[in-house]
Amino acid sequence: MTIHALIPCAGSGARMAGDLPKQYRVVAGAAIVAHTVRAFLHCKAVDHVYVVVQPGDAYARLVLGDDARVRIVPAGGVSRAASVVGGLDWLRATGASVDDWVLVHDAARCCVTPAAITQLVSACADDRVGGLLALPLPDTLKHADAEDRVGATLPREGLWLAQTPQMFRLGVLREALRVAPDVTDEASAMEAAGLRPLLVRGAASNFKVTYADDLEVAAAILGARNGA
Ligand code: CTP
Ligand code: MG
């Protein structure tokens, strides 16, 4: 069984102020994407880590250094899904098989742990479809009206927040994304193809660094793990 990690790292981080795309901001002593990649390098089951960046990106090489298992792929696109497609096509062009597994993971989810990745891999390795880390919704869910007042309270039973990694077979995922190119995660494309990805319980700490405040939370989590 061959498993590739594919890290979309080609966004501009518009929701976070600053000159640098968020994946290159330094927290707890290293760039966000460097923390992310390191978690995958600690998983023996992962063959190579492919980091998809915008063509001309100079930061990735700088912050990731040289590691035989890390490959920088200048195939980023205009959306996350386009960057994932660019990465999948690169994988195929460089010899990966349609039957290989791909773990797609946001560069910006830098607090993911090797244990959580391994848990997803164990849960999905014998699965027909594959699956994703996700979190049962912890809070009460409100639907807003046009004035940002509560229009309704929705039952949260059975609702999960989708995280990454998301683990699917390369060929099936590529075809699903061809048919459904406007999705915000891989599972949505698989669902559109009529498949039912497995929900594997993750942790709240595997959140996506999105707003400036999130940098502090990520730094606290990573710092605590490193004994800082
Ligand atoms: N991403 C990507 N290519 C894009 C857009 C996003 O590879 N064209 C990546 C980001 O680098 C990030 C992941 O997809 O690691 C999740 O996307 P998101 O958190 O939305 O990042 P950005 O799009 O960069 O942020 P924003 O939406 O605030 O602009
Ligand atoms: Mg985005």
Side-chain angles (χ1 to χ4, degrees), residues 86-142:
L88 294 175
D89 288 346
W90 187 283
L91 270 167
R92 280 291 284 148
T94 53
S97 152
V98 286
D99 293 326
D100 290 352
W101 288 103
V102 181
L103 287 167
V104 181
H105 181 77
D106 296 322
R109 285 184 200 273
C110 55
C111 297
V112 69
T113 61
I117 299 166
T118 302
Q119 209 186 338
L120 178 71
V121 168
S122 306
C124 294
D126 293 324
D127 195 82
R128 244 176 355 97
V129 179
L132 63 151
L133 287 183
L135 195 65
L137 200 67
D139 299 319
T140 304
L141 192 61
K142 303 292 186 189

Side-chain angles (χ1 to χ4, degrees), residues 3-9 36 40 46 48-50 52 80-85 87-88 91 101-109 112 117 120-121 131-133 162-170 173-174 177 184-187 190 206:
I3 305 175
H4 312 279
L6 184 65
I7 315 286
C9 181
T36 306
F40 284 87
V46 173
H48 282 87
V49 182
Y50 295 82
V52 183
R80 181 186 176 286
S83 297
V84 170
V85 165
L88 294 175
L91 270 167
W101 288 103
V102 181
L103 287 167
V104 181
H105 181 77
D106 296 322
R109 285 184 200 273
V112 69
I117 299 166
L120 178 71
V121 168
L132 63 151
L133 287 183
Q163 302 180 336
T164 68
Q166 303 202 356
M167 177 168 167
F168 299 111
R169 300 259 185 204
L170 198 168
L173 176 60
R174 179 64 185 92
L177 284 166
T184 53
D185 74 344
E186 291 60 54
M190 300 293 282
N206 183 25

Side-chain angles (χ1 to χ4, degrees), residues 183-202:
V183 291
T184 53
D185 74 344
E186 291 60 54
S188 303
M190 300 293 282
E191 293 155 49
L195 299 164
R196 296 190 305 127
L198 186 65
L199 291 161
V200 178
R201 195 183 181 121

Side-chain angles (χ1 to χ4, degrees), residues 8-16 22-23 52 54 77-80 83 106-108 208-210:
C9 181
S12 62
R15 285 171 285 179
M16 183 173 298
K22 62 186 178 184
Q23 59 271 32
V52 183
Q54 289 294 340
V78 294
S79 65
R80 181 186 176 286
S83 297
D106 296 322
K208 185 157 63 80
V209 172
T210 303

Side-chain angles (χ1 to χ4, degrees), residues 53-80:
V53 301
Q54 289 294 340
D57 177 300
Y59 295 113
R61 177 56 66 204
L62 216 58
V63 303
L64 294 175
D66 271 325
D67 185 305
R69 284 171 69 206
V70 179
R71 306 218 163 129
I72 294 170
V73 177
V78 294
S79 65
R80 181 186 176 286

